[in-house]
Amino acid sequence: AKCNFCAHRVDAGLEPACVVVCPTHSIWVGDLDDPESGISRLVNTNPVTVRAPEQQTGPNVFYLGADRAVLDPLAAPVDESYIFSRPDAHRAEVSAQLPTDPVSGARTTLNTAHPRPWGWRVTTYLWTKAVAAGAMMLAALAHLLGVELGAVGDVVAPVVGLAGAAVTGVLLVWDLKRPERFLFIFLKPNPTSWLFWGAAVLAIASGLFFAWLVFALLGMDAVLTGLAVPTAIAAALTAGYTAFLFGQAEGRDLWQSPLLFWHLLVQALMVGSAPLVLAAAVLGGVDDAGRNLLVGTLAVATVAHLVMVLLEYLGRHSTRNAGAAAHLVTRGRYARTFWLGGIGLALVGAVLAGLGWTGPLLAAVAGGLVVQVALLAYESVFVRAAQDVPLS
Ligand code: SF4
């Protein structure tokens, strides 16, 4: 992550510092597009390997004569066998919980600490935007279905949507290394990055949520009908775009699941229906069809979330990296948070929502509160475990 191939030296016509100081000329740097360069001749006339070819990132660092264990971060456990330093505590703890490679017998002898770049802010951001998106998806859906939610759909949903989107924006900017540069996302847009598209989706969705609130307060129902489809789509993209953003984090295989987009939609409906259920209990004005839609969504989405989580973690994983992350979640350092918080609380939430569907609405309100904690617990595990799998 730190190597820039000594761009300042290369620009000045010099070789990188590590190339110059290596007494055995073990490192070669050069122009692969020039067939006459030394590195082109090396790469073209020798069997070379790259790291993690399955990620299909087109790596331009080639290894000559490297043992598989040298290139596979999961092959060599971390213990007290470092040569020049001691393993950092985080790496040592994670490594002790990962399955070892029975073939190579390799040990890690040198590494540096790699702190996780994403922490509680990303965890919380997943939750806040899920609440915002889910509430507005439901309000728009109710309008399209002709289900009357009254002030819950006209005012509470867009206020929750706007507040959730605002907190999400603050968390995103706060999480940047240089928060003061956040406007560069729009001023110097990079259309190949989902960071840009995610910011655009959030901005458009916030505009639609605001318009929904204004036209609902003005009683302009016909305009709301016109806004319903774009608002539902923008809300769904607000919930789901993170699947593509996380998908670009190659090497974090737990985040590469093809289910993730749909799972994010389900999570949004789960946590986004809860504030509307609470508002329906406090404000009233929601008929039986509205209540059915809100509480039914809460109950069904919570059960669907549970099924998707269990499928994701207890099923087979396509790569060892994803399998290692899932192992940390279900049997390693995150097992307690996962089983008690992510699964246990979601189960309680589903039961309470089910009771509230036909029984007292208060049970559904309680279920809606419980699933918020359940999702936060699950997201904290999901965000951290994927980053714990060593890449070097
Ligand atoms: S010295 Fe070598 S490893 Fe360090 S930045 Fe320069 S090229 Fe990269």
Side-chain angles (χ1 to χ4, degrees):
K2 291 174 188 162
C3 174
N4 63 355
F5 286 101
C6 281
H8 57 297
R9 290 179 57 89
V10 172
D11 282 352
L14 301 168
E15 293 203 285
C18 57
V19 175
V20 175
V21 299
C22 181
T24 57
H25 205 173
S26 290
I27 303 172
W28 287 67
V29 170
D31 183 1
L32 283 165
D33 292 332
D34 173 6
E36 295 307 315
S37 68
I39 191 159
S40 282
R41 285 203 292 269
L42 261 184
V43 169
N44 292 336
T45 56
N46 290 279
V48 289
T49 44
V50 295
R51 294 189 57 210
E54 71 281 0
Q55 302 292 350
Q56 301 185 333
T57 52
N60 282 314
V61 177
F62 298 89
Y63 296 82
L64 189 56
D67 188 274
R68 180 187 67 85
V70 178
L71 301 183
D72 179 357
L74 289 171
V78 169
D79 51 25
E80 294 301 319
S81 53
Y82 273 32
I83 295 176
F84 302 113
S85 60
R86 300 183 69 87
D88 62 287
H90 178 228
R91 179 74 186 259
E93 190 191 334
V94 168
S95 184
Q97 297 183 358
L98 291 175
T100 52
D101 183 302
V103 180
S104 71
R107 322 300 302 177
T108 297
T109 56
L110 177 67
N111 211 333
T112 55
H114 296 91
R116 285 187 298 247
W118 287 354
W120 71 268
R121 284 187 284 263
V122 172
T123 297
T124 313
Y125 134 92
L126 285 170
W127 171 63
T128 53
K129 82 183 178 63
V131 173
M136 276 313 289
M137 268 197 280
L138 262 178
L141 186 67
H143 198 89
L144 289 169
L145 294 174
V147 175
E148 184 53 54
L149 294 182
V152 172
D154 288 349
V155 180
V156 176
V159 167
V160 168
L162 284 168
V167 177
T168 300
V170 169
L171 288 167
L172 278 178
V173 172
W174 190 1
D175 203 47
L176 295 174
K177 259 194 192 124
R178 300 282 299 271
E180 74 280 8
R181 292 190 174 185
F182 82 94
L183 272 182
F184 284 6
I185 292 175
F186 294 111
L187 298 178
K188 302 180 177 185
N190 173 7
T192 63
S193 166
W194 274 95
L195 202 65
F196 163 70
W197 288 111
V201 162
L202 271 174
I204 292 168
S206 300
L208 286 166
F209 298 171
F210 183 69
W212 186 279
L213 178 64
V214 170
F215 290 116
L217 289 175
L218 293 173
M220 299 173 74
D221 223 43
V223 182
L224 291 190
T225 304
L227 280 179
V229 170
T231 300
I233 293 172
L237 287 176
T238 297
Y241 84 82
T242 311
F244 306 113
L245 178 72
F246 277 28
Q248 286 192 318
E250 301 290 352
R252 306 300 186 194
D253 290 3
L254 188 68
W255 295 343
Q256 314 284 327
S257 165
L259 265 186
L260 186 55
F261 177 82
W262 305 107
H263 194 180
L264 289 168
L265 293 191
V266 166
Q267 290 173 357
L269 289 171
M270 176 176 81
V271 291
S273 56
L276 306 191
V277 172
L278 174 66
V282 174
L283 301 175
V286 176
D287 61 15
D288 280 352
R291 177 191 157 127
N292 263 338
L293 179 70
L294 297 181
V295 183
T297 300
L298 174 63
V300 172
T302 306
V303 171
H305 164 67
L306 275 166
V307 170
M308 290 172 111
V309 169
L310 293 175
L311 279 177
E312 189 66 54
Y313 286 88
L314 302 183
R316 282 176 60 83
H317 290 91
S318 53
T319 66
R320 286 171 60 225
N321 182 307
H327 177 86
L328 291 173
V329 169
T330 54
R331 275 175 278 173
R333 61 206 312 246
Y334 302 113
R336 182 182 298 212
T337 312
F338 177 71
W339 289 112
L340 292 181
I343 298 292
L345 286 180
L347 212 52
V348 171
V351 170
L352 287 170
L355 288 174
W357 201 348
T358 48
L361 193 56
L362 216 54
V365 171
L369 291 175
V370 171
V371 297
Q372 310 298 322
V373 186
L375 187 67
L376 271 170
Y378 171 72
E379 299 296 19
S380 79
V381 162
F382 177 67
V383 168
R384 286 184 293 163
Q387 298 176 85
D388 274 356
V389 182
L391 296 180
S392 66

